[in-house]
Amino acid sequence: MADPATAPGDSPAARAQTIALVDDDRNILTTLSISLQAEGFATRVYTDGETALKALLDNPPDLAIFDIKMPRMDGLSLLQALRAQSSLPVIFLTSKDEEPDEALGLAMGADDYITKPFSQRLLVARIRAILRRSELTRTPSDAAAAEGLPELVVRGRLQLDPARHQVTWEGEPVSLTVTEFLILEALATRPGVVKSRNQLMDAAYSEDVYVDDRTIDSHIKRLRRKFRAVDPEFGAIDTLYGAGYSFSDA
């Protein structure tokens, strides 16, 4: 059941960023919720994946944190169902013996994971890092340039707006996760240059998140699938077997 707690001072004029917490351990939910509210976030809590999924789609928060092991719908199933309809940033909470689940979660589109037990300071730092990368700004383009925000990246039919985390292909919007966006940005900013999987890992993940080659391959497959939903002939992401990937849209 959801607990629509909000941080003190939350208002339409200065809305606190909202974090959804999904875990069947009510003690963890209470502890995390109190800690995050103390940091200025609003929180919503859910004790099972099925309840959380509907709420996350009907009223999306700014970021969600899932435990992997839950009744009714576990964290991996919840992520899979969510990714079919949403690019909401997601952090996994895992135990030390859940390394295969960590890798699978990242390959399925999670933005980060944290291993239990963890410090509240580490969790807050990870949350803020992802929100900085994914937050949509509403600054007009000329004002964005004056403030030193990243400029638009235009490569043929592709347009990326890093400041707003927006992507279009032939004018049609393409919804990407934070990780997918960063991988695409790394490729598109240097068209024709082959980026190795390690280089794409460095572009998409923080230094202390470890992923394997298959994770990057899974992200590339999802990127191609999303663009082909807009343009069935999309072929701008090239594979150089044994070397990596490049972007080319002449």
Side-chain angles (χ1 to χ4, degrees):
M1 180 175 180
D3 174 11
T6 56
D10 189 19
S11 69
R15 184 186 66 84
Q17 291 173 302
T18 301
I19 311 298
L21 306 171
V22 189
D23 198 314
D24 62 325
D25 188 325
R26 293 181 181 273
N27 291 328
I28 290 178
L29 288 176
T30 300
T31 300
L32 288 180
S33 187
I34 291 172
S35 297
L36 292 176
Q37 289 180 40
E39 293 289 336
F41 295 106
T43 60
R44 304 174 195 155
V45 301
Y46 307 93
T47 56
D48 70 87
E50 287 187 0
T51 302
L53 178 61
K54 184 177 188 304
L56 295 175
L57 293 173
D58 289 348
N59 186 20
D62 294 286
L63 181 145
I65 300 173
F66 300 165
D67 187 31
I68 286 186
K69 305 299 184 185
M70 293 187 294
R72 298 181 64 188
M73 176 185 283
D74 64 22
L76 292 173
S77 299
L78 174 58
L79 177 64
Q80 184 177 33
L82 182 67
R83 281 290 173 258
Q85 303 181 63
S86 171
S87 58
L88 174 72
V90 171
I91 296 176
F92 265 129
L93 298 182
T94 72
S95 299
K96 289 184 178 180
D97 59 351
E98 294 173 348
E99 289 185 6
D101 288 338
E102 294 165 0
L104 181 56
L106 292 172
M108 290 169 60
D111 296 286
D112 205 344
Y113 70 85
I114 295 181
T115 303
K116 301 174 186 176
F118 55 85
S119 71
Q120 304 296 329
R121 181 178 298 179
L122 172 63
L123 178 60
V124 170
R126 296 286 186 87
I127 290 171
R128 294 195 190 282
I130 292 174
L131 289 175
R132 279 196 301 270
R133 290 154 53 192
S134 64
E135 185 178 30
L136 304 181
T137 68
R138 294 177 175 81
T139 308
S141 298
D142 53 351
E147 293 179 15
L149 295 176
E151 297 181 357
L152 290 176
V153 176
V154 180
R155 299 289 184 266
R157 291 167 285 176
L158 175 73
Q159 179 172 294
L160 294 92
D161 187 344
R164 294 173 174 78
H165 193 83
Q166 294 174 348
V167 179
T168 61
W169 180 262
E170 294 185 326
E172 293 294 323
V174 182
S175 178
L176 303 182
T177 67
V178 175
T179 304
E180 292 163 354
F181 185 95
L182 291 172
I183 290 173
L184 179 63
E185 184 181 28
L187 292 171
T189 50
R190 300 198 64 190
V193 175
V194 176
K195 293 290 184 78
S196 69
R197 291 172 176 83
N198 284 338
Q199 289 174 315
L200 295 177
M201 290 176 199
D202 291 342
Y205 293 100
S206 58
E207 293 180 357
D208 49 358
V209 175
Y210 301 99
V211 298
D212 60 24
D213 290 356
R214 291 173 296 175
T215 299
I216 294 300
D217 293 342
S218 294
H219 287 306
I220 293 293
K221 288 178 182 177
R222 274 200 310 278
L223 277 168
R224 286 171 172 155
R225 185 165 60 246
K226 288 183 176 183
F227 277 94
R228 285 171 182 160
V230 173
D231 175 9
E233 302 301 319
F234 175 83
I237 299 177
D238 299 320
T239 302
L240 184 61
Y241 291 98
Y245 298 95
S246 67
F247 181 89
S248 176
D249 183 49

